[in-house]
């Protein structure tokens, strides 16, 4: 019976930036009756799971942190994984979030009980009910590994970049790096000096820009700590520069030619071999895929023990990787840097809405959410980093904080109306999504001539936000009740006694 289960006002799923941010915002709204359900045994989300060699952020440190929790002690302009994870641990402690955390509590199912006007959650540690569910699982949480014939019989080690096997020593080994995305360009230069042979399997070359990284000195850190306004100004400048860049991404992709010249010069300076340089030169508009930052990736590819194979991995034959062009290489380990389930969120199979359908079924034609946060037929379910909230050039923390504003407004709307729940109107979601697709049509992600994780299987951009972060903040400042059906509380004595299974 539901009455015998623990009940909370809000259940937050995930303890990365989104989940911890939601928890802080709830407490600031005076809401303390909430839990954070985390499948792992520590906070950190993406920055806990990704611990591969060389893992670091490609957004400047002072922009990749909460505005309400500035960190004057960032050691570098672009921080490493260990520093970001430590920052999230400090946020957890500073804002008193430990008592709300439930580790090992992976969400197995969340089912909306329309009769009781609440969510029934089944986790790895038990069941509970919640009035509101905030999903902060993030798009970069579940690794995508392609189905490769023969890989189950490979005698060596196989692992994804986000599930790095730290017990396996790569020194002196022959390694195949599958993929050339954001993780791979950090892994390759980190392991190249120690492996015997590195085979980089490249399906599509990325555009790579110089990484303007440097240590942040003690005097600089002291200034930011002593005069917080200096750190705030630095953050503001970093934000403003990126806001000015948005026009080229979303309105006038031809302006990306200037960035392309910088990337071409970077490649020319780093790789002297014209044949290798040709293999590393993309044939699509820069920005169509995620622009990567590295000063060490190209030099690592030019080393004698590194080979770039420009064909997709087709099969594994014994201890050999075989690419589509017939190239065979004997290897001891296969590392997949093949990305994540972004346009097909795994949590979609676990969330059941008011009509008994899963979120995945509801999104069979593509993800869509009102203001990136709510979905029709799924009352009181809010997303942090939902559909069409991703960025191509700035900090996702800005988008997260805007979604947190919406969550706070949503909770205030429930309180002020006395409603049990709000359910986004299908027409509201449809209108918002149509506007997103209309605006996305002219962006570099849609017109740049590439296939990327910004686009779903139908070729629709359901991932990236086609505007500035300031626009998104305005769009999520407050809930508009006209966009929702207001669901009244269950009358006394009408609540079902049987639990929803």
């Amino acid at each position: 019976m539901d009455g015998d289960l623990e009940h909370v006002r809000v259940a937050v799923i995930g303890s990365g930036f989104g989940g911890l941010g939601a928890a802080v915002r709830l407490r600031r709204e005076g809401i303390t009756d909430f839990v954070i359900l985390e499948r792992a045994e520590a906070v950190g989300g993406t920055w806990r799971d990704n611990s591969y060699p060389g893992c670091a952020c490609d957004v400047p440190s002072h922009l990749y942190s909460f505005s309400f929790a500035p960190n004057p002690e960032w050691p570098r302009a672009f921080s490493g994984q260990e520093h970001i994870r430590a920052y999230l641990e400090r946020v957890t402690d500073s804002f008193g979030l430990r008592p709300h955390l439930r580790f090992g509590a992976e969400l197995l199912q969340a089912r909306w009980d329309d009769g009781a006007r609440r969510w029934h959650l089944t986790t790895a540690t038990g069941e509970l009910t919640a009035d509101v569910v905030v999903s902060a699982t993030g798009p970069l949480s579940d690794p995508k590994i392609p189905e490769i014939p023969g890989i189950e019989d490979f005698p060596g080690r196989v692992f994804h970049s986000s599930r790095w096997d730290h017990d396996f020593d790569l020194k002196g080994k022959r390694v195949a790096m599958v993929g050339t995305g954001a993780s791979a360009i950090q892994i390759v230069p980190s392991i190249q000096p120690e492996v015997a042979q590195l085979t980089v399997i490249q399906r599509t070359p990325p555009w790579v820009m110089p990484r303007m990284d440097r240590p942040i000195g003690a005097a600089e850190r002291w200034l930011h700590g002593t005069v917080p306004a200096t750190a705030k100004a630095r953050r503001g400048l970093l934000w403003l520069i990126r806001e000015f860049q948005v026009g080229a991404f979303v309105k006038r992709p031809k302006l990306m030619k200037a960035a392309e010249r910088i990337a071409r010069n970077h490649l020319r300076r780093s790789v002297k071999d014209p044949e290798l340089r040709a293999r590393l030169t993309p044939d699509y508009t820069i920005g169509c895929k995620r622009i990567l930052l590295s000063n060490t990736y190209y030099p690592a590819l030019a080393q004698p023990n590194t080979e770039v194979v420009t064909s997709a991995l087709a099969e594994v034959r014994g201890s050999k990787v075989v690419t589509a062009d017939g190239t065979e290489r004997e290897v001891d380990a296969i590392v997949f840097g093949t990305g994540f389930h972004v346009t097909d969120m795994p949590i979609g199979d676990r969330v059941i809405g008011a009509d008994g359908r899963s979120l995945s079924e509801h999104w069979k034609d593509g993800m869509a959410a009102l203001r990136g946060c709510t979905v029709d037929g799924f009352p009181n379910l809010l997303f942090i980093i939902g559909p069409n909230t991703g960025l191509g050039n700035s900090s996702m923390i800005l988008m997260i904080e805007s979604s947190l504003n919406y969550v706070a407004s949503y909770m205030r709307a429930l309180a002020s109306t006395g409603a049990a729940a709000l359910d986004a109107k299908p027409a509201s979601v449809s209108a918002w999504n149509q506007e997103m697709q209309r605006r996305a049509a002219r962006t570099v992600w849609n017109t740049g001539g590439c296939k990327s994780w910004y686009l779903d299987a139908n070729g629709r951009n359901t991932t990236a936000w086609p505007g500035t972060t300031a626009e998104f903040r305005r769009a999520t400042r407050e809930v508009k009740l006209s966009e929702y059906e207001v669901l009244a509380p269950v009358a006394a004595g009408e609540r079902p006694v049987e639990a929803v299974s």
Side-chain angles (χ1 to χ4, degrees):
M1 295 174 58
D2 276 2
D4 294 332
L5 298 178
E6 177 190 13
H7 179 75
V8 295
R9 179 63 170 155
V10 183
V12 178
I13 316 300
S15 68
F17 268 100
L20 296 179
V24 171
R25 194 57 190 267
L26 288 171
R27 287 183 64 90
R28 288 190 162 186
E29 291 294 313
I31 300 170
T32 56
D33 182 19
F34 68 88
V35 294
I36 309 168
L37 303 177
E38 170 54 57
R39 65 184 178 184
E41 298 300 326
V43 302
T46 294
W47 297 103
R48 175 201 61 235
D49 294 342
N50 286 270
S51 59
Y52 58 78
C55 184
C57 190
D58 57 6
V59 174
S61 303
H62 288 84
L63 196 58
Y64 201 79
S65 48
F66 290 121
S67 62
F68 54 79
N71 179 23
E73 294 299 321
W74 289 119
R76 300 193 66 86
F78 291 85
S79 290
Q81 175 264 347
E82 68 276 17
H83 302 120
I84 297 172
R85 184 176 178 186
Y87 169 77
L88 290 173
E89 292 281 359
R90 288 198 299 275
V91 167
T92 303
D93 292 327
S94 299
F95 290 90
L97 304 183
R98 296 278 175 199
H100 300 278
L101 281 160
R102 306 282 178 85
F103 292 124
E106 179 177 4
L107 178 69
L108 303 179
Q109 186 185 80
R111 180 181 289 270
W112 176 252
D113 179 350
D114 202 45
R117 296 286 199 265
R118 60 175 50 169
W119 285 96
H120 184 111
L121 289 79
T122 303
T123 78
T125 56
E127 299 179 51
L128 72 157
T129 59
D131 294 326
V132 177
V133 172
V134 177
S135 176
T137 56
L140 306 182
S141 57
D142 289 270
K144 179 181 286 187
I145 298 178
E147 294 183 7
I148 305 296
I151 197 162
E152 63 278 0
D153 298 321
F154 179 66
R157 296 290 185 96
V158 180
F159 49 91
H160 190 273
S161 58
S162 65
R163 304 292 187 267
W164 195 267
D165 188 346
H166 290 280
D167 294 329
F168 184 64
D169 187 2
L170 293 178
K171 188 174 182 180
K173 301 294 194 305
R174 298 162 299 179
V175 180
M177 179 74 235
V178 184
T180 53
S183 299
I185 73 153
Q186 295 179 344
I187 294 169
V188 165
S190 299
I191 68 173
Q192 175 273 319
E194 65 179 39
V195 301
Q197 181 66 36
L198 179 59
T199 302
V200 178
I201 299 177
Q202 169 190 279
R203 188 172 56 182
T204 309
W207 284 107
V208 182
M209 299 278 276
R211 184 179 177 86
M212 310 300 287
D213 194 17
R214 64 175 181 83
I216 297 177
E220 207 172 342
R221 296 198 301 271
W222 174 86
L223 179 63
H224 289 332
T226 306
V227 187
T230 60
K232 188 174 182 179
R234 180 177 188 157
R235 179 185 177 92
L237 180 61
L238 291 168
W239 167 77
L240 193 61
I241 290 171
R242 281 153 181 79
E243 289 290 274
F244 278 127
Q245 296 170 349
V246 170
F249 281 85
V250 305
K251 294 181 179 179
R252 296 176 293 278
K254 289 184 179 179
L255 295 178
M256 300 298 293
K257 291 294 183 183
E260 188 174 304
R261 283 194 293 272
I262 296 173
R264 286 184 183 276
N265 289 335
H266 183 48
L267 174 57
R268 191 176 301 112
R269 288 193 303 268
S270 305
V271 178
K272 303 305 180 185
D273 179 0
E275 184 182 342
L276 177 58
R277 197 161 59 233
R279 279 184 277 161
L280 298 176
T281 302
D283 61 359
Y284 56 86
T285 303
I286 190 171
C288 183
K289 286 178 176 284
R290 185 173 173 181
I291 299 174
L292 308 181
L293 307 178
S294 179
N295 299 329
T296 56
Y297 178 62
Y298 286 147
L301 296 183
Q303 298 305 309
N305 68 330
T306 305
E307 177 187 19
V308 178
V309 178
T310 56
S311 183
L313 179 61
E315 65 173 306
V316 174
R317 197 177 298 150
S319 59
K320 294 179 179 179
V321 291
V322 184
T323 55
D325 63 358
T327 300
E328 298 183 9
R329 293 292 180 270
E330 195 101 18
V331 297
D332 302 303
I334 302 172
V335 180
F336 284 99
T338 45
F340 299 85
H341 290 274
V342 177
T343 59
D344 56 339
M345 294 183 190
I347 195 174
D349 295 325
R350 306 182 184 197
V351 178
I352 313 299
D355 63 359
R357 292 194 305 162
S358 71
L359 187 59
S360 294
E361 292 173 304
H362 186 77
W363 277 345
K364 67 180 186 301
D365 296 323
M367 299 190 303
L370 176 61
R371 303 180 188 275
C373 294
T374 55
V375 182
D376 53 298
F378 294 79
N380 283 6
L381 172 67
L382 296 106
F383 283 92
I384 309 296
I385 314 183
N388 286 114
T389 62
L391 295 177
N393 75 311
S394 193
S395 173
M396 279 307 300
I397 311 308
L398 301 171
M399 302 297 279
I400 287 172
E401 290 199 29
S402 292
S403 295
L404 299 182
N405 290 341
Y406 199 76
V407 170
S409 178
Y410 192 99
M411 298 305 297
R412 290 196 294 268
L414 287 176
S416 65
T417 61
L422 302 177
D423 189 5
K425 295 177 179 177
S428 301
V429 178
S430 178
W432 177 265
N433 185 52
Q434 287 176 24
E435 178 65 7
M436 289 298 97
Q437 296 309 312
R438 183 190 68 80
R439 292 179 61 178
R442 61 182 177 180
T443 66
V444 70
W445 307 303
N446 288 51
T447 64
C450 75
K451 292 183 179 179
S452 75
W453 55 265
Y454 295 120
L455 308 181
D456 65 15
N458 300 312
R460 296 167 68 247
N461 185 343
T462 58
T463 303
W465 166 248
T468 65
T469 61
E471 286 180 278
F472 188 69
R473 177 149 295 202
R474 289 193 296 271
T476 53
R477 184 168 292 148
E478 61 181 5
V479 167
K480 295 182 179 180
L481 285 175
S482 61
E483 296 179 328
Y484 288 88
E485 296 288 349
V486 179
L487 306 182
V490 178
E494 292 185 9
R495 186 179 299 278
V497 296
E498 292 299 321
V500 177
S501 61

